[in-house]
Amino acid sequence: VGVVFAKLSKFGYPADLSTRLHAGLASATFLSAVFACSITHPQRELEFGEYLPLEIWEGKNIFADPFQCNVLDLSSSLFFVAQLLLENARPLVALPVIAFLEYCAYHAMRDVGLTIAAR
């Protein structure tokens, strides 16, 4: 659902900045909810500042089946939402999204450039 809201924000509302931001905030809420599934992750946004996730769910690879979770679509949505939130002065809301982006870039994609951009 977070990816759908991110794409809606990116492609559906290119001129309406207010609606674009609200769709981006909804996307960030859904994308950040991944970290609420385990007690090992921080629960407050501020705690994600120095947090590097090693896994999302213990013992489960969420990217094993590309038809269930496509890492390219997810990472592009995470990057767009993080950039949108940072441009609109919402750094605390962007922290969990950036942590998830860094996890995708480093652990799933092995993309050095995207990992550096996330950090």
Side-chain angles (χ1 to χ4, degrees):
V1 175
V3 174
V4 173
F5 272 107
K7 288 185 178 187
L8 182 67
S9 174
K10 185 175 185 178
F11 300 116
Y13 303 108
D16 188 3
L17 299 179
S18 176
T19 307
R20 186 177 192 176
L21 176 61
H22 288 299
L25 287 168
S27 175
T29 302
F30 285 115
L31 292 170
S32 300
V34 170
F35 293 114
C37 296
S38 174
I39 198 158
T40 60
H41 301 300
Q43 299 302 312
R44 296 184 316 186
E45 295 169 338
L46 184 61
E47 296 171 347
F48 282 95
E50 296 179 355
Y51 180 68
L52 300 173
L54 299 176
E55 60 186 0
I56 300 298
W57 287 300
E58 188 175 334
K60 179 80 172 151
N61 182 7
I62 61 172
F63 304 116
D65 186 3
F67 294 108
Q68 288 182 350
C69 184
N70 188 338
V71 70
L72 295 176
D73 284 341
L74 179 62
S75 63
S76 67
S77 296
L78 287 166
F79 185 78
F80 172 76
V81 170
Q83 188 177 19
L84 178 71
L85 293 173
L86 291 174
E87 288 173 355
N88 287 288
R90 309 282 177 150
L92 283 178
V93 180
L95 284 176
V97 176
I98 293 169
F100 197 11
L101 175 62
E102 185 174 357
Y103 173 82
C104 292
Y106 183 74
H107 293 287
M109 297 174 62
R110 305 281 187 208
D111 187 351
V112 176
L114 190 57
T115 303
I116 292 171
R119 289 184 179 175

